[in-house]
């Protein structure tokens, strides 16, 4: 008989080291901690440490972890049809999911294209936009316009339209599209001077987009892509009133398609199913969904297309020249469908709006006035704190201080997960943490979230202050020593 292979559990306590893991982790130098179980708003590590999931990864687990209805739906799908290739077949779970999302043709959206990640959704939307123009007799439209401080994913197309500089730098000159230009984000904290009204700020940004399109030659641009509420790169930036309606008008004027990336902010996260629904008269031509769509239960994302885009393809070649082996995967679709049913049954989207107001109020009162909290911003259950060294000048910390990462580390030690981001201010410096708890988080846990975050922030604030004091003392000592030497010499 073969000897039974013994396997030591990979807990932090068992001393797992990065060089013994066969997984290429995000860091080659540090082994991440193992998650042993997760339920509701909590994650439990192999060490037994229990963590309140204040960010659900990156705003993913929208109905929390371990939901029994989703588990049952996945098991049922697994035992009925576990895979069907979309070249020849469809499945009830894919059809039902699309029916649910597009029931009543919301905003003229009429078709759903399901893929496995937000990045694939971005790339698929870009390709749909391009194919639309080609079939519409405007093959000269080859350029894309996006915004600075945006995140649209990590595949080559998505990375190219995004502007997370740190994630792009190594690929400059080799794996980035050169037909993309960027305009200003809706980043009021840094972009709207005192004295400029919200409407004037919106108008100025819309004019900037218009001018960019004019200078490129509007007949050369295929699409403008933007996140209605910005996610990972700048941290929950919202648009000034009237901005997106203005963007829609400018896009229409120039025949440019409007792609709204709701991979992070969509699916109910901001208190309405689509984040753009809170922006006035803005129907996108293409909108992407991702993180909250599958709620973490299965890898799934999607592109929803407006009928005017679909009609051009239908009357033209009749096919979208694209495809993936695992697109519209039946188990992923079943998981996402079950997540959508829980959202509706438990009325979680309108609850999100109410809980969000409570979260905003307690964040502002606990942290809004602190020395290094420059801005508190967001919508629904999607909030960010931007940290600065100096509130008056809004000067960010030097990246080496690692302020946001340290807040994350302290929070995790205290039993709270938050999502840190750097490069907030300009792509290189700046710090924020994002909060994106499950929409069904309890009021008690929401209060605990703010309390633990306040404590974690306080620890880092104290450390930074002590380091400053030590540095000042050292400088004073150096001046004194130099003076003393001067006197001696
Ligand atoms: C996360 C994200 C993506 C990329 O999704 P992945 O599933 O990580 O590929 C795209 N756009 C936005 C706005 C995102 O937040």
């Amino acid at each position: 008989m073969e000897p039974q292979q013994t396997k030591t559990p990979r807990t932090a306590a068992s001393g797992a080291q990065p060089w013994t893991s066969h997984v290429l982790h995000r860091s080659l130098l540090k082994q991440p901690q193992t998650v042993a179980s997760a339920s509701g708003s909590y994650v439990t590590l192999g060490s037994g440490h229990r963590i309140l999931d204040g960010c659900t990864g990156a705003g993913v687990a929208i109905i929390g972890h371990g939901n029994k209805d989703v588990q049952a739906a996945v098991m049922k799908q697994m035992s009925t049809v576990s895979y069907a290739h979309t070249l020849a077949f469809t499945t009830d779970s894919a059809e039902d999911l699309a029916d649910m999302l597009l029931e009543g043709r919301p905003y003229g959206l009429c078709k759903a294209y399901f893929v496995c990640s937000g990045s694939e959704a971005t790339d698929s939307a870009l390709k749909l936009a391009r194919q639309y123009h080609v079939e519409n007799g405007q093959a000269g439209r080859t350029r894309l316009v996006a915004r600075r401080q945006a995140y649209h994913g990590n595949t080559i197309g998505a990375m190219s339209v995004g502007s997370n500089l740190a994630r792009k730098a190594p690929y400059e000159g080799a794996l980035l599209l050169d037909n993309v230009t960027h305009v200003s984000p809706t980043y009021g904290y840094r972009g709207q001077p005192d004295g400029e009204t919200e409407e004037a700020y919106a108008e100025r940004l819309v004019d900037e987009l218009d001018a960019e399109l004019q200078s490129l030659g509007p007949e050369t641009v295929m699409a403008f892509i933007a996140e209605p509420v910005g996610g990972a790169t700048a941290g929950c930036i919202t648009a000034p009133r009237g901005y997106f309606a203005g963007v829609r008008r400018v896009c229409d004027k120039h025949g440019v398609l409007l792609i709204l990336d709701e991979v992070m902010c969509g699916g109910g996260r901001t208190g309405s199913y689509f984040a753009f629904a809170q922006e006035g008269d803005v129907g996108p031509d293409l909108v992407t969904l991702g993180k909250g769509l599958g709620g973490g239960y299965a890898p799934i994302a999607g592109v929803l297309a407006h009928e005017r885009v679909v009609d051009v393809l239908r009357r033209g070649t009749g096919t979208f020249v694209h495809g993936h082996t695992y697109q519209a995967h039946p188990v992923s679709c079943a998981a996402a469908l079950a997540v959508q049913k829980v959202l509706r049954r438990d009325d979680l989207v309108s609850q999100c709006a109410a809980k969000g107001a409570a979260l905003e109020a307690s964040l502002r009162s606990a942290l809004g006035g602190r020395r290094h909290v420059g801005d508190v911003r967001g919508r629904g259950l999607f909030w960010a704190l931007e940290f600065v060294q100096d509130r008056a000048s809004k000067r960010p910390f030097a990246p080496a201080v690692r302020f946001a990462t340290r807040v994350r580390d302290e929070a995790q030690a205290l039993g709270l997960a938050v999502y840190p981001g750097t490069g907030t201010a300009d792509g290189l410096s700046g710090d924020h943490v994002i909060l994106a708890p499950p929409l069904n988080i309890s009021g008690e846990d929401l209060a605990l979230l703010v309390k633990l975050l306040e404590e974690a922030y306080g620890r880092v604030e104290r450390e930074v202050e002590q380091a400053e004091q030590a540095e000042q003392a050292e400088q004073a000592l150096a001046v004194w020593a130099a003076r003393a030497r001067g006197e001696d010499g």
Side-chain angles (χ1 to χ4, degrees), residues 301-386:
V303 186
L304 307 182
H306 193 279
E307 47 203 6
R308 67 179 152 260
V309 176
V310 175
D311 283 347
V312 164
L313 266 64
R314 189 188 286 122
R315 285 198 307 269
T317 57
T319 44
F320 178 27
V321 188
H322 191 42
H324 291 286
T325 304
Y326 282 121
Q327 83 185 59
H329 191 279
V331 178
S332 296
C333 289
L337 180 63
V339 170
Q340 304 310 305
K341 284 181 178 167
V342 171
L343 271 185
R344 288 194 185 187
R345 183 196 66 198
D346 298 345
D347 198 23
L348 294 180
V349 181
S350 43
Q351 276 187 38
C352 168
K355 285 178 188 169
L359 176 62
E360 173 178 8
S362 56
L363 275 177
R364 288 198 191 284
S365 82
L367 285 142
R370 300 298 292 261
R371 185 174 167 203
H372 297 301
V373 176
D375 196 23
V376 179
R377 58 178 175 250
R379 190 170 287 164
L381 284 173
F382 192 38
W383 284 86
L385 302 180
E386 178 169 344

Side-chain angles (χ1 to χ4, degrees), residues 117-120 122 151-154 227 232 261 263-264 291:
S117 72
S119 304
E120 283 176 55
T122 302
Y151 187 65
H152 298 296
N154 264 330
E227 299 159 272
D261 182 347
V263 169
M264 197 166 186
K291 295 179 167 94

Side-chain angles (χ1 to χ4, degrees), residues 26 58-60 116-122 150-155 158 167 225-233 260-266 288-291 299-301 382 419:
R26 293 200 181 208
V60 178
C116 299
S117 72
S119 304
E120 283 176 55
T122 302
Y151 187 65
H152 298 296
N154 264 330
T155 50
R167 293 188 186 207
I225 181 168
E227 299 159 272
V229 177
T233 300
L260 294 181
D261 182 347
E262 296 221 357
V263 169
M264 197 166 186
C265 63
T288 57
L289 291 171
K291 295 179 167 94
I300 184 165
F382 192 38
Y419 189 64

Side-chain angles (χ1 to χ4, degrees), residues 2 26 30 55 267 300-301 306 336 374 389 430 437 451:
E2 291 279 314
R26 293 200 181 208
K30 195 165 168 261
C55 58
I300 184 165
H306 193 279
Q389 180 158 35
K451 182 174 163 284

